[in-house]
Amino acid sequence: MRALDVLGPGGPYRSRRQETLGDFAGNQLATLSLAPSLYVTRAMKALRRAPALPYEARIEAFARAGRAFATETIAGLTPQEYQHTVSTVTGMPITVVRQATDEIAQGAERIRDSIENARPAGAVDSWRDPRAWDGAPVWTRRGEVFAVHAAGNHPAVHQGWFDALALGYRVAVRPSRREPFTPYRLITALREVGFGDEGVVLLPTGHDVAGDLLRHADLGMVYGGADVVARYAGDRRVLPQGPGRSKVLITAETDWEPLVDTLVESISGGGGVGCVNATGVLVEGDPAPVAAALAERLAALPSLPATDERAVLPVQPLGLARRWDAHLRQRAAGTKAWLGGDGIIDDIGDGAAVLRPAVHQLDSPFAEQLGMEMGFPCAWVAPWDREAGVRPLRDTLVLTAATTDADLIDELVAEPTIANVYVGDHPTSWMAHGLPHDGYLAEFLMRTKTIRR
C-alpha cells in the first residue's frame, strides 16, 4: 500500500491516525494520514510566517508544476499509475481522469491569463509602479493565508484554488478523503518546483478538525451541498461553492433536434458528476419529444468498469448505488420516467455498480426537482413559458440558452444568480482557461486601494 502523508510546512508527516483507501472489492490501496488539531494549528501559523515568492517566479513555477503533474513520475507514481488509481478508487471513468490531468496542467501553465483577466483594468499590481506617483489603484491581497475544503467529485476541481497561490497567498488544502490522490500529486509538484514546504500544504483531517483550517486562515473556500452554502452564507471570510444546478433553456423558435448532441454532452459529459453538467432542461412548448430523444440517446451509453477505455458512466460501490437509486425513486415520485424508472443500477460484479442515466419529465418549471443534483447523469425536463420568465432559471451556475430572443438574453445576463450564460449550441460543460467559472476567485481574494507616492 502507498502512504499518503500529511504535507506540512516541515515536510511529510505520518500521523498515528490513518484511513485506508481501497477499491470497491475491498482491496486496500493506500493509507491517508489525518492531521491532528495541534498539528493543523502549528502548520497554519507557519504559513503565515512564510514569505511569498515574487510574482514572476510564481507564474514560472506554476508552468513547471503543470508539466510535471501531467508527464513525470511524482511521489513514486507515473501519470498512468496515478490516473488508474484515481479511477479505481473513485469509479470515475479513466478517460475523464486523463482529460482532467491535461486540464490541470493547462490551467497551471496558463495561470497568468486568469490573474491578468481578473485584475481591474485601471489597477496596478505594485506601489512601485510609476503610475502611483500621481495616485493609482493598487490591487492587493485581503490576507496572507487561504484555506480550502476541497471536493472529491472531479480531479479538475483543484484548479479552483490556483489563483490564490498565484496571487501570493500561502495555501492550505484539506482534501476530500474520497480522492486525495490528485491534490497530493499536485501539491508535491508545486513544492518541488519552488513553492517549498511553507508555500502550500496538504492537511487531511477528520471532520472534527476540519474547522481549524478556516479558523486560522484569513480567507477560505468550502465545497459542499446546499447545507454548506447556508452555513457559510453570512461569513464574509468564507466563499462557499455549492451545487451548480446548471440548465438548458430551449425557446419555441429554436429547432431542438440539432441540439441533441449538445444536450447529451451537457448532461453526461465527464460522467455527469460535475457542477457544470446540466440537470434541468426547460422547453418552451411540449417537452415530451425532447425528453424522449434524450432518453433514447442516454440509454445507449455502455455500462463498463471505470478503468475500461470505453467507460463513460460513473461506477460506485453497490451499497452506495442502491442508496442513489432509492433517493431518485423517492424524489421522482409522480413524474413521468422516460429513462431510469426501473432503476439506475447495473451490477458489474466485485462489489461495483454502474450508475445509469435517468430522464424524468416534470409538469411545472417551478418543480423542486429542477434544483436537484445527482452523482450521475440525471435530467429533469420541464415546460417553460414567457410568463414564468427568468424565475425558474435562477441559482444556476451555467445556463445554455438556445434562443434568438435578444430581450430574453438581456434578462438572463442581468440576473445576478446566473453565473454564466452560453447563447446557442454550446454544452454547459464548456470551459476555457482564463475565463471565470463562478466569477473570478480573485474577486474574493483581492481589493484595490489608492496609493499616491
Side-chain angles (χ1 to χ4, degrees), residues 4-8 13 15 17 32-36 39-40 173-177 180 184 201-206 209-210 213:
L4 301 182
D5 297 330
V6 175
L7 299 179
Y13 165 74
S15 68
R17 185 180 176 188
L32 176 67
S33 286
L34 301 180
Y39 184 95
V40 169
V173 178
R174 177 185 181 258
S176 163
R177 284 146 70 181
Y184 190 91
V201 299
L202 183 78
L203 299 177
T205 72
V209 182
L213 273 77

Side-chain angles (χ1 to χ4, degrees), residues 316-387:
Q316 290 295 318
L318 187 56
L320 178 58
R322 286 172 175 157
R323 290 195 292 274
W324 275 118
D325 183 66
H327 180 62
L328 176 63
R329 290 174 185 268
Q330 181 185 34
R331 300 308 299 271
T335 69
K336 180 176 182 179
W338 288 91
L339 182 65
D342 296 327
I344 57 166
I345 300 173
D346 197 345
D347 188 342
I348 56 174
D350 289 330
V354 172
L355 294 176
R356 301 286 310 164
V359 177
H360 289 80
Q361 184 177 332
L362 306 171
D363 295 329
S364 167
F366 300 104
E368 64 176 10
Q369 289 92 337
L370 285 169
M372 290 179 56
E373 286 190 348
M374 300 286 190
F376 56 92
C378 180
W380 307 90
V381 185
W384 177 88
D385 56 35
R386 303 293 167 138
E387 184 177 347

Side-chain angles (χ1 to χ4, degrees), residues 139-344:
W139 207 39
T140 184
R141 292 188 296 273
R142 291 179 55 211
E144 298 295 334
V145 179
F146 184 66
V148 183
H149 285 192
N153 62 312
H154 197 287
V157 74
H158 289 283
Q159 293 183 78
W161 50 263
F162 279 10
D163 286 12
L165 192 61
L167 286 164
Y169 279 85
R170 274 70 75 206
V171 175
V173 178
R174 177 185 181 258
S176 163
R177 284 146 70 181
R178 174 192 177 199
E179 202 279 272
F181 303 99
T182 296
Y184 190 91
R185 179 179 181 84
L186 181 56
I187 289 173
T188 299
L190 287 164
R191 288 158 72 113
E192 289 178 351
V193 299
F195 284 99
D197 291 348
E198 294 186 345
V200 56
V201 299
L202 183 78
L203 299 177
T205 72
H207 293 294
D208 56 328
V209 182
D212 291 352
L213 273 77
L214 297 176
R215 186 160 47 252
H216 294 291
D218 296 311
L219 299 172
M221 180 167 63
V222 180
Y223 289 83
D227 58 330
V228 170
V229 174
R231 187 185 315 156
Y232 293 103
D235 191 337
R236 296 183 61 189
R237 296 175 53 254
V238 178
L239 180 67
Q241 299 288 288
R245 301 187 178 112
S246 296
K247 301 179 183 69
V248 178
L249 171 66
I250 305 172
T251 55
E253 81 282 3
T254 304
D255 183 4
W256 62 266
E257 292 186 2
L259 302 177
V260 172
D261 286 345
T262 296
L263 292 171
V264 170
E265 176 63 22
S266 296
I267 296 164
S268 65
V273 301
C275 55
V276 293
N277 285 114
T279 52
V281 179
L282 293 99
V283 181
E284 186 176 21
D286 184 5
V290 177
L294 288 175
E296 181 180 3
R297 288 287 301 278
L298 291 169
L301 297 180
S303 291
L304 295 165
T307 54
D308 192 297
E309 291 291 333
R310 300 163 295 165
V312 292
L313 294 173
V315 178
Q316 290 295 318
L318 187 56
L320 178 58
R322 286 172 175 157
R323 290 195 292 274
W324 275 118
D325 183 66
H327 180 62
L328 176 63
R329 290 174 185 268
Q330 181 185 34
R331 300 308 299 271
T335 69
K336 180 176 182 179
W338 288 91
L339 182 65
D342 296 327
I344 57 166

